[in-house]
């Protein structure tokens, strides 16, 4: 089994690495040890500001500071970043199109034991609906590092969706990341699995199970949910004729919805969505929750078989 | 300030008030009440205090102003126009589809606007961010923000107050337009946040209470704020909502309502009379 690193850890490391750039400032809301911004704080204490348990103020202060030429990373749990402070993000960051990057950790049900109040399953939906916002959901540590780098280079708001759980490292140093680009990880012709975040690894293992069953699946990693890579979706629809989407998010409003929007308008083919089914999470071990909420490779396989019948 | 400057500023305040009336009357919408109660604050800051360059609105070392109570855009726009950021004749385009003068301040559309506001409670936080950046970069620009007395019912304002005191942002000066009214009526009836002076003090701010229509008092308070080290300053400006237009004064209904032609003419006549009195001073 490959090395396991949480994307939040890779985020903290990347901030410390790219923090040599003196225009980078990091804000946190009393969660720096969990969001891993503490790694940046240790290296650059003068450019780290703890704003206390006050996420609304933090988002707007980040907006104000960015107008003075800073690239501000504001971090907290996804539930508070995209939930509590959603309107602050909309009006003070997105409307004026400011250079604030939201490092939202503990997204999704894989938060585990903390339960529903802390398992953000609607953030992609909330953030993707905001004009000017870029939404990135990295699959592993390598992609997270590159996404942080790309976020710094991109002028404007970015929402980085990061996880708590240690997850396998999928990519190596040769991996290329570009905002707005999906990546074909495995070629196939019967069906395409489009996955994001934690579910990318599940999609890769599903590929092998499907292959054993004689099904040729194309696997696409979709790290940027917005702007979505329309070309790779249309190509998949045309060439494989069926799509399964997979994400650790409500099936309403997330990657699945974004893919359906493109498919419905540009090249209608059957699409089935893996995600939480418009319900709240609960406490438990992450792996058990992933099973119970049908977010595993086995579930992807089942959906792939189902979607083939709709072709 | 000397007598001559004071007289000039008083005249500019009347000019700003007339513009506010023009803006709201031409748009047949907008917020005259709070714009008129803040007119002396706007006028002192924009015409006498702030380091600004109308030819270079994004000059990095400029003083900043955040209109936390963004609905008072008519007062801000009038002040920016009088200071020379854009032509005064553009003001009557306020809120219309062809104009850059959005209903609430938009920093991407209006030269001289430092932050987009309109959602109450957020502006002061953005001002905190600007002041923090000033400290980080060891710049000597100052950050000003203006809040409503109803606005401070928003919990976020108190988050911002706490953070400004924590980071000792003595480069930040906030004004609260203490006009006693919000949309649904008297602050004391809707949701009373008094005693505001004591509350701001308890949040470790330097607090100065003044007559918010007295330009010299505003100047003295701003200068005192500059002299204080290690603390942000809150200037509690006692004002009359709708100040300068007799029928609007202290009437909650004029918070967000435009006058019809007859009332508009009456208001302009009153302001012309005020100007005439200043001319003979
Ligand atoms: C978050 C938010 N809630 C509600 C409003 C609608 N609103 C606009 S102005 C206003 C009353 C503001 O009263 P106050 O702060 O006292 O302003 P002033 O009297 O100076 O006009 C309200 C409720 C808003 N703009 N933002
Ligand atoms: Mg008021």
């Amino acid at each position: 089994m490959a090395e396991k690193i949480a994307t939040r850890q890779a985020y903290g490391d990347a901030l410390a690495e790219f923090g040599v750039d003196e225009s980078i400032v990091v804000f946190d809301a009393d969660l720096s040890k969990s969001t891993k911004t503490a790694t940046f704080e240790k290296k650059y204490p003068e450019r780290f500001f703890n704003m206390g348990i006050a996420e609304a103020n933090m988002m707007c202060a980040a907006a104000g500071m960015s107008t003075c030429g800073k690239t501000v990373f504001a971090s907290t749990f996804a539930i508070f970043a995209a939930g509590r402070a959603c309107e602050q993000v909309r009006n003070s960051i997105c409307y004026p199109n400011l250079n604030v990057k939201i490092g939202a950790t503990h997204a999704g049900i894989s938060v585990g034991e903390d339960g529903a109040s802390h398992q953000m399953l609607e953030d992609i939906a909330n953030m993707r609906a905001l004009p000017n916002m870029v939404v990135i959901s990295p699959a592993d540590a390598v992609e997270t590092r590159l996404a942080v780098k790309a976020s710094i280079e991109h002028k404007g708001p970015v929402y980085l969706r990061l996880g708590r759980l240690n997850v396998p490292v999928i990519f190596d140093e040769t991996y290329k990341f570009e905002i707005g680009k999906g990546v074909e990880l495995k070629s196939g012709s019967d069906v395409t699995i489009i996955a994001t975040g934690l579910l990318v690894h599940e999609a890769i293992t599903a590929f092998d199970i499907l292959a054993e069953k004689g099904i040729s699946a194309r696997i696409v990693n979709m790290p940027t949910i917005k702007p979505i890579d329309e070309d790779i979706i249309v190509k998949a629809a045309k060439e494989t004729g069926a799509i399964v989407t997979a994400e650790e998010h409500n099936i309403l409003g997330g990657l699945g919805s974004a893919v359906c929007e493109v498919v419905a308008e540009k090249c209608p083919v059957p699409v089935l969505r893996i995600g939480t089914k418009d319900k709240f999470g609960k406490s438990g071990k992450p792996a058990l929750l992933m099973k119970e909420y049908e977010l595993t490779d086995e579930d992807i396989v089942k959906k792939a078989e189902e979607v083939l019948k709709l072709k | 300030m000397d007598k001559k400057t004071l007289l000039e500023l008083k005249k500019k305040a009347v000019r700003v008030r007339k513009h506010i009336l023009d803006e709201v009357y031409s748009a047949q919408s907008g917020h005259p009440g709070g714009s008129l109660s803040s007119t002396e604050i706007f006028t002192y800051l924009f015409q006498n205090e702030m380091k600004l360059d109308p030819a270079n609105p994004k000059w990095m070392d400029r003083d900043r102003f955040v209109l936390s109570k963004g609905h008072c855009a008519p007062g801000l726009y009038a002040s920016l126009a009088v200071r020379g950021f854009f032509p005064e004749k553009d003001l009557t385009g306020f809120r219309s589809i062809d104009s850059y003068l959005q209903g609430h301040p938009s920093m991407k559309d209006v030269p001289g606007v430092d932050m987009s506001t309109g959602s109450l409670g957020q502006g002061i936080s953005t001002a905190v961010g600007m002041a923090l950046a000033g400290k980080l970069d060891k710049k000597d620009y100052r950050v000003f923000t203006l809040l409503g007395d109803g606005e401070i019912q928003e919990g976020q304002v108190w988050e911002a107050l706490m953070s400004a005191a924590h980071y000792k942002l003595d480069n930040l000066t906030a004004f609260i337009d203490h006009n006693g009214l919000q949309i649904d009526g008297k602050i004391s009836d809707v949701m009373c946040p008094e005693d505001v002076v004591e509350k701001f003090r308890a949040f470790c701010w330097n607090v100065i209470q003044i007559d918010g229509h007295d330009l010299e008092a505003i100047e003295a308070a701003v200068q005192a704020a500059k002299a204080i080290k290690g603390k942000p300053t809150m200037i509690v400006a006692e004002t009359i909502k709708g100040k300068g237009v007799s029928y609007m004064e202290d009437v909650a209904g004029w918070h967000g309502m435009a006058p019809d032609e007859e009332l508009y003419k009456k208001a302009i006549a009153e302001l012309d009379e005020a100007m005439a009195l200043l001319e003979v001073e």
Side-chain angles (χ1 to χ4, degrees):
Chain A
M1 185 39 107
E3 190 192 1
K4 284 187 165 189
I5 306 173
T7 51
R8 60 173 164 145
Q9 183 66 59
Y11 167 67
D13 292 345
L15 289 180
E17 178 186 349
F18 301 120
V20 290
D21 173 350
E22 291 204 342
S23 67
I24 292 174
V25 174
V26 176
F27 283 14
D28 205 301
D30 196 34
L31 287 169
S32 63
K33 292 191 180 66
S34 302
T35 63
K36 302 298 174 188
T37 60
T39 316
F40 175 92
E41 180 188 15
K42 224 173 139 200
K43 210 163 158 191
Y44 302 108
E46 69 289 350
R47 280 187 276 128
F48 174 86
F49 296 96
N50 203 324
M51 301 305 282
I53 313 162
E55 297 79 11
N57 182 53
M58 175 176 74
M59 290 302 173
C60 295
M65 183 171 275
S66 77
T67 69
C68 302
K70 306 292 177 194
T71 301
V72 189
F73 280 81
S75 270
T76 179
F77 290 171
I79 185 71
F80 310 127
R84 162 80 57 118
C86 185
E87 196 246 345
Q88 281 74 13
V89 172
R90 179 194 188 274
N91 276 323
S92 288
I93 297 174
C94 289
Y95 176 43
N97 198 13
L98 294 175
N99 206 19
V100 176
K101 321 298 168 182
I102 299 166
T105 69
H106 297 62
I109 203 156
S110 60
V111 159
E113 290 81 351
D114 271 354
S117 64
H118 283 57
Q119 293 161 337
M120 184 38 143
L121 295 167
E122 312 93 51
D123 53 337
I124 297 177
N126 289 359
M127 294 294 109
R128 159 174 114 78
L130 300 176
N132 292 329
M133 184 62 101
V134 166
V135 180
I136 307 176
S137 153
D140 79 343
V142 172
E143 191 164 65
T144 301
R145 176 180 173 275
L146 296 175
V148 170
K149 186 163 183 279
S151 304
I152 294 166
E153 285 156 10
H154 173 83
K155 294 293 163 237
V158 175
Y159 181 80
L160 284 166
R161 185 179 209 245
L162 305 161
R164 167 180 175 265
L165 200 65
N166 286 328
V167 293
V169 176
I170 303 170
F171 307 116
D172 60 26
E173 322 74 66
T174 63
Y175 182 75
K176 295 224 171 5
F177 171 86
E178 201 183 319
I179 290 177
K181 287 273 180 276
V183 183
E184 188 178 308
L185 302 179
K186 304 258 186 203
S187 54
S189 52
D190 297 332
V191 59
T192 302
I193 318 291
I194 304 179
T196 195
L198 201 54
L199 270 290
V200 173
H201 185 258
E202 297 299 313
I204 293 168
T205 50
F207 172 87
D208 294 328
I209 309 173
L210 285 164
E212 276 167 35
K213 293 176 180 250
I215 298 168
S216 161
R218 176 180 300 182
I219 309 296
V220 169
N221 170 29
M222 196 68 95
T224 313
I225 316 292
K226 185 189 167 185
I228 194 92
D229 185 345
E230 295 195 358
D231 294 345
I232 208 167
I233 297 171
V234 171
K235 190 162 173 280
K238 281 194 179 137
E239 293 173 4
T240 69
I243 293 173
V244 171
T245 62
E247 65 196 307
E248 192 197 0
H249 183 276
N250 195 337
I251 51 166
L252 304 182
L255 170 71
S257 298
V259 168
C260 285
E261 288 156 17
V262 175
V263 170
E265 287 189 352
K266 304 254 156 100
C267 186
V269 297
V271 179
L272 291 180
R273 294 163 294 156
I274 297 265
T276 55
K277 297 172 188 69
D278 199 23
K279 54 184 181 187
F280 289 104
K282 65 177 199 182
S283 291
K285 292 249 174 303
L288 298 179
L289 288 169
M290 298 297 279
K291 268 209 170 63
E292 181 163 331
Y293 283 80
E294 302 178 335
L295 302 169
T296 66
D297 49 5
E298 291 293 344
D299 300 300
I300 295 174
V301 169
K302 262 188 245 158
K303 275 277 186 285
E305 289 174 326
E306 249 177 77
V307 84
L308 284 176
K309 294 188 197 128
L310 300 173
K311 266 173 101 167
Chain B
M1 67 184 80
D2 57 37
K3 278 225 164 70
K4 188 165 162 271
T5 313
L6 179 61
L7 185 62
E8 281 312 306
L9 281 186
K10 281 184 178 171
K11 285 182 190 166
K12 281 185 179 162
V14 177
R15 196 157 129 209
V16 166
R17 285 203 163 88
K18 284 182 72 173
H19 282 319
I20 291 168
L21 264 293
D22 288 345
E23 289 172 79
V24 174
Y25 177 65
S26 10
Q28 276 303 296
S29 76
H31 300 79
S35 296
L36 292 167
S37 57
S38 295
T39 294
E40 278 75 18
I41 297 167
F42 281 128
T43 303
Y44 174 73
L45 288 178
F46 282 92
Q47 316 308 333
N48 204 62
E49 174 62 35
M50 291 174 68
K51 277 186 290 160
L52 298 169
D53 180 4
N56 182 12
K58 297 280 175 206
W59 173 40
M60 284 310 272
D61 292 335
R62 71 190 183 282
D63 288 340
R64 268 85 173 161
F65 178 83
V66 178
L67 183 59
S68 200
K69 54 166 185 153
H71 59 280
C72 296
L76 173 61
Y77 294 166
S79 303
L80 288 170
V82 169
R83 179 71 187 251
F85 279 89
F86 47 83
E88 286 172 84
K89 66 170 171 42
D90 289 4
L91 289 168
T92 48
F94 177 55
R95 288 186 168 229
S96 68
I97 194 149
D98 305 322
S99 172
Y100 53 94
L101 298 175
Q102 298 300 299
H104 290 80
S106 168
M107 64 182 286
K108 293 284 162 184
D109 294 293
V110 187
V113 170
D114 290 324
M115 179 51 66
S116 303
T117 51
S119 178
L120 295 171
Q122 298 188 19
I124 182 172
S125 296
T126 66
V128 166
M130 293 174 189
L132 211 48
K135 289 282 176 196
L136 184 60
D137 290 337
K138 301 191 169 58
K139 298 245 179 176
D140 61 5
Y141 63 74
R142 300 194 61 82
V143 181
F144 297 94
T145 183
L146 170 59
L147 296 102
D149 50 359
E151 179 180 9
I152 64 170
Q153 290 159 355
E154 281 289 351
Q156 182 175 349
V157 169
W158 304 90
E159 296 181 3
L161 293 175
M162 204 170 9
S163 61
H166 179 81
Y167 285 109
K168 304 185 170 31
L169 301 179
D170 49 22
N171 53 350
L172 175 65
T173 303
F175 283 87
I176 170 165
D177 182 343
H178 203 208
N179 58 29
L181 296 177
Q182 58 189 111
I183 295 183
D184 282 347
K186 286 188 187 155
I187 306 270
S188 53
D189 291 336
V190 177
M191 179 53 64
C192 184
E194 304 296 338
D195 175 336
V196 293
V197 170
E198 281 308 311
K199 283 201 172 76
F200 295 140
R201 272 203 188 114
F203 273 68
C204 301
W205 280 56
N206 173 43
V207 186
I208 304 173
Q209 206 170 4
I210 58 164
D211 171 352
H213 298 304
D214 180 343
L215 289 157
E216 289 173 299
I218 297 170
E219 178 186 48
V222 168
Q223 300 315 317
K226 283 188 190 168
I228 288 278
K229 295 291 163 229
K231 270 186 178 193
T233 292
M234 175 67 73
I235 300 175
V236 178
E238 301 302 336
T239 61
I240 295 166
K241 200 156 175 171
K243 173 79 176 176
V245 176
S246 60
Y247 59 86
M248 287 189 182
E249 286 192 2
D250 207 24
V251 178
W254 288 104
H255 169 83
M257 196 168 65
D260 61 15
E261 191 184 346
E262 191 190 328
L263 285 175
Y264 167 72
K265 284 187 173 152
K266 183 167 158 52
I268 294 298
E270 287 179 15
L271 293 168
D272 282 341
E273 200 181 308
M275 188 66 101
L277 285 174
L278 291 172
E279 299 290 0
V280 298
E281 242 183 56

